Amino acid sequence: ELKVEQNPLFLSMQEGKNYTIYCNYSTTSDRLYWYRQDPGKSLESLFVLLSNGAVKQEGRLMASLDTKARLSTLHITAAVHDLSATYFCAVVPQKLVFGQGTRLTINP
Amino acid sequence: DTGVSQDPRHKITKRGQNVTFRCDPISEHNRLYWYRQTLGQGPEFLTYFQNEAQLEKSRLLSDRFSAERPKGSFSTLEIQRTEQGDSAMYLCASSYGTVYEQYFGPGTRLTVT
């Protein structure tokens, strides 16, 4: 059974700091997705990583994929309060299998 | 196209009642997925359709749950004899094939009292 694990599950950061969220998955997948979810809202797609070594950046967020290590990272640079949300990674054999989510809080 | 839509957005029902939710996918998307999300957890897969065919159902989908996509367009998810444990956000997503990302609707929040 495919398992997806995120680390950490809770992260409280100060504005301006950098940090990385890790996503490990248990079986082969060549596609990985990162989603953002604000409280009470649905999921917003951030990145789709389609191949080994893929790196994508949008603003202060950068995601990468290492399919051999079965690891993806979401790096936050110079965090700002607006990035406070829960971030999910998900892999997809057919349906999406989600990690537990990382609740990120950015403090002034 | 305005994206994936779901109706209703909120539903409060008494235990034992039946409820039905509707999902309208993005029009050209042939795949439609249902997920359930409880508080503090990631979404969990329930079932998915390719066109009108239901191709996979999770073990989470007990006999009380049924989903349809009769004409390969909108889908309905029915829960019979609701239980308090059914309280959750029910999310619908659609995609064009397996390669492309899934776009999520706003969800239907179910509260069973």
Side-chain angles (χ1 to χ4, degrees), chain B residues 33-75:
Chain B
Y33 304 79
W34 285 99
Y35 295 87
R36 181 174 72 182
Q37 186 179 26
T38 53
L39 202 61
Q41 302 296 315
E44 296 173 292
F45 168 78
L46 293 178
T47 188
Y48 86 93
F49 294 83
Q50 178 159 308
N51 300 313
E52 66 275 7
Q54 189 173 18
L55 296 186
E56 187 175 348
K57 293 198 301 185
S58 160
R59 289 175 221 163
L60 292 174
L61 220 63
S62 74
D63 292 345
R64 297 184 297 106
F65 288 70
S66 62
E68 292 183 341
R69 194 183 183 198
K71 297 182 180 179
S73 56
F74 73 91
S75 175

Side-chain angles (χ1 to χ4, degrees), chain A residues 35 37 42 45 94-96, chain B residues 31 37 56 101-102 105:
Chain A
Y35 287 90
Q37 188 175 39
S42 190
S45 178
Q94 292 289 340
K95 72 274 188 181
L96 288 171
Chain B
R31 290 209 166 200
Q37 186 179 26
E56 187 175 348
E101 66 189 290
Q102 295 180 22

Side-chain angles (χ1 to χ4, degrees), chain B residues 5 10 12 18 22 27 29 33 37 46 56 58 62 65 67 79 84 92 100 105 108:
Chain B
S5 62
H10 303 274
I12 300 173
N18 300 343
R22 176 178 169 128
S27 59
H29 286 183
Y33 304 79
Q37 186 179 26
L46 293 178
E56 187 175 348
S58 160
S62 74
F65 288 70
I79 308 174
Q84 285 190 318
C92 175
Y100 300 98
T108 295

Side-chain angles (χ1 to χ4, degrees), chain B residues 92-105:
Chain B
C92 175
S94 70
S95 71
Y96 185 74
T98 58
V99 177
Y100 300 98
E101 66 189 290
Q102 295 180 22
Y103 292 86
F104 282 80

Side-chain angles (χ1 to χ4, degrees), chain B residues 77-98:
Chain B
L77 177 68
E78 181 183 15
I79 308 174
Q80 296 182 327
R81 302 181 305 281
T82 52
E83 302 173 355
Q84 285 190 318
D86 297 332
S87 296
M89 174 81 88
Y90 290 84
L91 294 163
C92 175
S94 70
S95 71
Y96 185 74
T98 58

